[in-house]
Amino acid sequence: MASSTNPDADAQHHWHGNRHPARHAALYGPAAVFGDEKIPQDLMQASESLGAKPFYTFRRVFLPMAAPGVMAGSILVFVICLGFFITPELLGGGRTILVSMLVQRNVELYHAWGAASAVGLVLLFVVFLIFWGINRFIPIERILGAR
């Protein structure tokens, strides 16, 4: 994507600091697609032959079976985005501060080890909370493919 001459326009367009979302989509795609390939088409056809509408078939048959692949892809992209701070730092010009960048700046620039560890622990707690929430809806054994 070509950069405009107005840095404020770039900052508004790329408020999240990531100029290459296709990289993350490329990581998400295979997990979701390979999860979708495991869904037997017979179940979809059976649902439709029993009179279910397409949206009901999607919601009650396809979505529960595709959820592990979707969640695996989402977790993969989420974990990579947690430590993704070099590219936004270099390309974003420091306009957007990510949590990982805040930890790095506290250590290297301010020598505030206590603040860096506090922010790191908050980040760790939030990540565990997100994974716990995901595990409540879809157990990790199902995402990993264990039976």
Side-chain angles (χ1 to χ4, degrees):
M1 178 189 317
S3 178
S4 71
T5 57
N6 183 359
D8 292 331
D10 283 341
Q12 290 171 357
H13 188 267
H14 302 292
W15 62 270
H16 49 77
N18 185 359
R19 294 181 185 265
H20 302 288
R23 290 181 187 168
H24 301 306
L27 294 171
Y28 172 76
V33 169
F34 292 133
D36 294 349
E37 287 180 355
K38 293 180 181 179
I39 298 173
Q41 290 299 316
D42 298 343
L43 295 176
M44 305 291 284
Q45 292 172 352
S47 174
E48 291 173 5
S49 70
L50 291 172
K53 304 248 186 261
F55 180 73
Y56 187 83
T57 299
F58 173 77
R59 186 172 54 99
R60 301 292 285 186
V61 177
F62 181 80
L63 195 58
M65 296 182 81
V70 170
M71 293 310 294
S74 300
I75 289 171
L76 179 64
V77 170
F78 176 71
V79 168
I80 289 173
C81 288
L82 278 176
F84 190 71
F85 66 94
I86 295 297
T87 304
E89 177 74 23
L90 295 175
L91 294 178
R95 289 183 294 247
T96 303
I97 305 294
L98 304 176
V99 176
S100 54
M101 292 166 57
L102 183 62
V103 172
Q104 183 245 351
R105 284 186 182 178
N106 277 331
V107 170
E108 290 184 1
L109 189 62
Y110 305 123
H111 301 290
W113 291 89
S117 64
V119 172
L121 284 175
V122 168
L123 177 62
L124 184 65
F125 177 73
V126 168
V127 169
F128 281 145
L129 191 65
I130 289 171
F131 284 153
W132 176 79
I134 290 171
N135 194 35
R136 297 272 300 166
F137 292 106
I138 301 173
I140 193 73
E141 295 83 17
R142 210 171 140 204
I143 293 173
L144 296 176
R147 303 248 179 217

